[in-house]
Amino acid sequence: MLNEFWFNVQYGINHVLDIKAYDHVLFLIVLTVPYLFNDWKRVLLLVTTFTVGHTLSLVLAAYGVVQVNANLVEFLIPVTILFVALYNVFTAGKKSKNEKVGLLFFSTLFFGLVHGLGFAREFLMFAGRTENKLVLLLEFALGIEIAQISIVFIVLFLGFIGQTIFRFSKRDWVMVISAVVVGLVIPMILESDLIS
């Protein structure tokens, strides 16, 4: 029982940290980069909101409520990353990050739904062996949350190093990291089956 629990948690961790599917990590980077360690409560809430959206779409897919065109979802995932990265670029150094909380959390929940749908097919194959899909989903979500918090910590730590030791301004740090992510996701969008 404990072995199965840990296997499912590890599956969630590996889903986030899969080097071949680094879109999840890119999304977490652009979601986190505007913040510092003293914003940890907001960041944790954002990341958990993303996990809730991701898990909700897996629940809907696991119980046959939704079926979505895989090519459309694979196109939308990098688009969500691009959207957040560009939002960071255009709001870097401004106070809008703190003002529009509702919009930020709503969009993060929506993006979590999109990212979850991208994984739904593989998850359904994985879940096919169990009768209690809900428990499996919760264990998997726990693994996702553990991996996401680890990545968020690394991003916050690198931001701390960059802004204190190397004296980057917060604005420059956010803009440079977000611009790098933009450069990484544009080819993902252009190479998606929906466009090519």
Side-chain angles (χ1 to χ4, degrees):
M1 187 75 177
L2 188 60
N3 282 350
E4 192 173 328
F5 167 79
W6 181 237
F7 179 82
N8 295 336
V9 170
Q10 277 187 307
Y11 190 66
I13 292 170
N14 293 337
H15 166 63
V16 175
L17 302 180
D18 182 2
I19 197 73
K20 288 180 242 150
Y22 57 93
D23 53 359
H24 205 129
V25 174
L26 291 179
F27 185 80
L28 290 169
I29 290 170
V30 292
L31 192 65
T32 307
V33 76
Y35 299 103
L36 302 168
F37 274 116
N38 59 353
D39 301 313
W40 69 269
K41 286 180 185 173
R42 173 173 289 201
V43 177
L44 182 62
L45 198 54
L46 273 173
V47 169
T48 303
T49 301
F50 182 72
T51 305
V52 167
H54 194 282
T55 305
L56 183 59
S57 59
L58 290 178
V59 168
L60 295 173
Y63 290 98
V65 177
V66 292
Q67 285 185 323
V68 183
N69 181 317
N71 290 341
L72 176 63
V73 174
E74 290 306 316
F75 168 75
L76 287 175
I77 287 172
V79 168
T80 64
I81 301 166
L82 179 65
F83 179 84
V84 178
L86 289 175
Y87 178 75
N88 287 347
V89 168
F90 289 114
T91 60
K94 296 177 183 162
K95 296 202 172 186
S96 60
K97 276 278 173 220
N98 296 329
E99 292 164 9
K100 299 207 165 86
V101 177
L103 177 66
L104 189 60
F105 284 96
F106 177 75
S107 56
T108 302
L109 180 67
F110 174 72
F111 295 159
L113 286 165
V114 172
H115 283 244
L117 288 172
F119 185 65
R121 190 173 44 198
E122 184 183 331
F123 182 79
L124 287 173
M125 289 189 283
F126 175 68
R129 63 184 180 80
T130 182
E131 288 177 18
N132 197 343
K133 288 186 176 76
L134 196 56
V135 170
L136 175 64
L137 273 162
L138 292 173
E139 292 168 353
F140 177 73
L142 177 62
I144 286 176
E145 191 74 350
I146 290 167
Q148 289 185 158
I149 289 170
S150 304
I151 291 165
V152 163
F153 178 81
I154 291 166
V155 174
L156 291 175
F157 181 71
L158 292 175
F160 173 77
I161 298 286
Q163 292 172 61
T164 55
I165 295 174
F166 295 105
R167 299 288 182 201
F168 283 109
S169 72
K170 183 179 178 183
R171 178 183 172 275
D172 290 349
W173 175 255
V174 172
M175 288 189 77
V176 167
I177 299 300
S178 298
V180 168
V181 173
V182 167
L184 290 170
V185 296
I186 286 176
M188 291 167 69
I189 294 169
L190 297 176
E191 291 164 12
S192 70
D193 289 338
L194 203 66
I195 289 182
S196 57

